[in-house]
């Protein structure tokens, strides 16, 4: 099996304090630069191709401190050799020309290892706090789509012109352009109709919240069908909070301990904010529309993906996700460095073995057909 055919792995970068669960349980994960350098080096050594930095401007839900995403991504790239770091950016605070130039320079300095995650925004309180306009739900995706179209145009053409609702350019040329061709990879998230339709038109990657295999398949099929109509291709990444332990009982005990120690006021506050954001979409649903209290203890429904158990159980579930069209697992952990190392040692070899076995089986079936 070629490297391109293998399912890929990314990890959430803890450039924001508080870890990845809204719980008072011990999390041996730190938001400091030194910790993050050690984590990035451990991740690329243990088979992770991508890292995703977070963008937060204000404190909330246990995240008291936040390092800015683009500069932090560049700092991690300077300390690694082949990891690609995805910098989260919010249209509004960032303008396309700044993002395009900033990222092109980082791409040039790091030999093509930067990517971007365009975050349309769900937390109105954050926008209000920094004095940024708050367009209604679907208009935020209109703005994000224009943002992405401008980035791709600036990165791939000279004399770029664009006349949109939110952004305008007149014969703008950026030099030097990024090393990556045809352009720097563009990721986005969201589960609303507007988010999925935007992905099917302009994004290279679409991140979805954690969910069951059956529900993820529905999203994958929907996006890929619409993308095909648009003569576009989009890859799929799925969020998962991974709890890999030597026994299934131990893994489930860790999950239960996280939930038992949930920061109840913070979880409720997070839930209220997400419900408000989801209700603003035309269909009245957002990323967390069907999330229980327990689901919300992990920011992006990571428990729902059920990568919780023994290395063999987790590897088999990852293959199930791959079979329904998932290209990447976006991973969160309780104790990041040690669990990334455990994943690389215990889980990833099983995933690759299962992939190779399936590829060989398919090849034999084709010969017999």
């Amino acid at each position: 099996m070629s490297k391109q055919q293998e399912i890929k792995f990314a990890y959430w970068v803890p450039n924001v304090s508080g870890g990845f669960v809204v719980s008072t349980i011990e999390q041996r994960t730190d938001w400091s630069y030194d910790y993050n350098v050690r984590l990035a080096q451990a991740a690329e050594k243990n088979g992770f191709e991508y890292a995703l930095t977070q963008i937060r401007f204000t404190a909330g839900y246990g995240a008291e401190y936040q390092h800015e995403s683009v500069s932090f991504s560049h700092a991690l790239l300077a300390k690694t050799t082949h990891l690609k770091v995805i910098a989260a950016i919010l249209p509004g605070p960032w303008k396309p020309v700044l993002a395009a130039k900033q990222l092109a320079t980082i791409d040039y300095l790091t030999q093509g290892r930067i990517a971007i995650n365009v975050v349309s925004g769900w937390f109105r309180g954050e926008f209000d706090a920094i004095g940024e306009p708050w367009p209604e739900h679907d208009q935020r995706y209109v703005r994000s789509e224009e943002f992405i179209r401008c980035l791709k145009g600036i990165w791939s053409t000279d004399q770029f012109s664009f006349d949109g609702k939110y952004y305008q350019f007149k014969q703008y040329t950026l030099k030097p352009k990024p090393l990556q061709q045809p352009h720097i990879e563009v990721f986005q998230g969201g589960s609303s109709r507007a988010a999925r339709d935007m992905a099917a038109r302009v994004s290279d990657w679409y991140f979805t919240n954690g969910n069951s295999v059956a529900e993820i398949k529905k999203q994958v099929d929907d996006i890929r069908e619409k993308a095909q109509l648009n003569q576009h291709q989009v890859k799929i990444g799925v969020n998962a909070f991974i709890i890999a332990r030597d026994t299934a009982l131990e893994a489930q005990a860790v999950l239960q301990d996280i939930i038992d120690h949930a920061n109840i006021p913070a979880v409720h506050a997070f839930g209220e904010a997400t419900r408000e954001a989801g209700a603003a979409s035309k269909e009245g649903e957002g990323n967390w529309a069907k999330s229980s209290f327990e689901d919300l203890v992990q920011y992006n429904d990571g428990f729902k993906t059920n990568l919780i158990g023994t290395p063999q159980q987790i590897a088999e579930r990852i293959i199930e996700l791959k079979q329904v069209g998932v290209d990447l697992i976006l991973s969160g952990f309780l104790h990041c460095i040690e669990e990334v190392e455990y994943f690389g040692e215990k889980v990833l070899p099983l995933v690759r073995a299962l992939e190779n076995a399936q590829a060989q089986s398919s090849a034999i079936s084709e010969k017999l057909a």
Side-chain angles (χ1 to χ4, degrees):
M1 174 174 290
S2 71
K3 292 288 289 183
Q4 286 185 331
Q5 293 173 306
E6 294 177 346
I7 193 166
K8 299 184 183 303
F9 295 93
Y11 75 92
W12 281 99
V13 174
N15 59 302
V16 170
S17 65
F20 296 109
V21 291
V22 191
S23 176
T24 59
I25 192 173
E26 180 193 14
Q27 298 184 66
R28 292 189 293 277
T29 290
D30 184 27
W31 63 284
S32 71
Y33 176 58
D34 288 345
Y35 179 89
N36 271 282
V37 167
R38 290 189 289 119
L39 173 57
Q41 292 170 347
E44 68 175 1
K45 182 179 178 181
N46 283 278
F48 286 77
E49 291 93 345
Y50 293 92
L52 174 64
T53 56
Q54 306 169 68
I55 181 60
R56 294 282 293 274
F57 284 98
T58 60
Y61 323 121
E64 185 177 359
Y65 301 101
Q66 315 94 32
H67 288 301
E68 189 276 318
S69 55
V70 178
S71 52
F72 204 78
S73 297
H74 191 192
L76 294 181
L77 288 165
K79 295 293 186 178
T80 52
T81 58
H82 54 271
L83 187 73
K84 181 174 277 192
V85 182
I86 310 162
I89 286 182
L90 269 169
W94 271 273
K95 306 304 179 188
V97 67
L98 172 60
K101 198 162 188 67
Q102 207 175 14
L103 293 163
T105 297
I106 296 173
D107 200 60
Y108 180 84
L109 295 174
T110 62
Q111 293 75 53
R113 292 194 291 124
I114 190 71
I116 179 176
N117 182 36
V118 176
V119 181
S120 296
W122 61 268
F123 183 23
R124 179 169 186 165
E126 188 169 57
F127 275 66
D128 289 345
I130 62 175
E132 279 290 332
W134 181 251
E136 61 91 10
H137 180 276
D138 285 10
Q139 281 299 307
R140 295 199 295 278
Y141 285 97
V142 171
R143 180 171 67 177
S144 290
E145 182 167 339
E146 287 191 10
F147 190 90
I148 292 169
R149 290 187 185 277
C150 288
L151 289 181
K152 289 187 173 183
I154 292 167
W155 286 333
S156 61
T157 62
D158 290 336
Q159 302 295 308
F160 174 71
S161 294
F162 186 85
D163 187 17
K165 179 177 180 179
Y166 293 96
Y167 307 112
Q168 296 79 39
F169 285 85
K170 188 177 293 183
Q171 297 184 330
Y172 175 64
T173 298
L174 171 73
K175 290 185 178 179
K177 289 184 168 36
L179 296 180
Q180 294 182 70
Q181 296 296 322
H183 51 71
I184 291 168
E185 286 184 294
V186 176
F187 292 70
Q188 68 145 112
S191 293
S192 67
R193 181 74 271 159
R196 284 180 280 164
D197 286 352
M198 185 180 90
R201 289 190 293 266
V202 296
S203 298
D204 303 313
W205 287 86
Y206 170 79
F207 281 135
T208 182
N209 269 10
N211 217 322
S212 67
V213 172
E215 290 300 316
I216 289 168
K217 183 179 187 304
K218 290 178 185 177
Q219 289 193 54
V220 172
D221 291 347
D222 174 71
I223 292 167
R224 293 248 164 91
E225 181 180 342
K226 288 183 176 293
Q228 188 172 19
L229 293 173
N230 296 328
Q231 297 182 313
H232 180 63
Q233 291 185 329
V234 59
K235 297 176 183 178
I236 309 295
V238 172
N239 188 71
F241 191 82
I242 299 178
I243 305 176
R245 298 294 187 271
D246 292 341
T247 69
L249 284 175
E250 185 182 0
Q252 288 299 322
V254 172
L255 173 62
Q256 193 58 52
D257 202 20
I258 292 170
I259 294 170
D260 288 346
H261 289 85
N263 183 334
I264 294 173
V267 175
H268 283 312
F270 178 55
E272 288 171 10
T274 58
R275 278 190 291 275
E276 179 184 346
S281 65
K282 286 183 178 178
E283 63 274 26
E285 291 189 5
N287 264 347
W288 299 272
K290 298 176 182 176
S291 301
S292 67
F293 176 90
E294 289 78 10
D295 296 327
L296 292 169
V297 175
Q298 206 288 312
Y299 291 108
N300 293 96
D301 283 341
F303 300 151
K304 284 186 178 182
T305 314
N306 196 28
L307 298 190
I308 299 166
T310 66
Q312 185 66 37
Q313 289 172 326
I314 291 172
E316 290 171 357
R317 290 166 190 162
I318 288 170
I319 296 302
E320 290 176 8
L321 290 166
K322 182 180 179 180
Q323 288 173 331
V324 300
V326 171
D327 301 288
L328 177 147
I329 304 295
L330 174 57
S331 314
F333 300 95
L334 189 63
H335 312 303
C336 285
I337 291 178
E338 57 213 75
E339 296 197 35
V340 157
E341 291 173 341
Y342 185 93
F343 184 89
E345 179 185 353
K346 301 288 187 179
V347 181
L348 189 56
L350 297 176
V351 173
R352 299 303 182 219
L354 289 170
E355 286 180 315
N356 285 327
Q358 284 196 340
Q360 291 171 8
S361 178
S362 296
I364 291 170
S365 296
E366 287 176 9
K367 287 181 180 180
L368 295 176

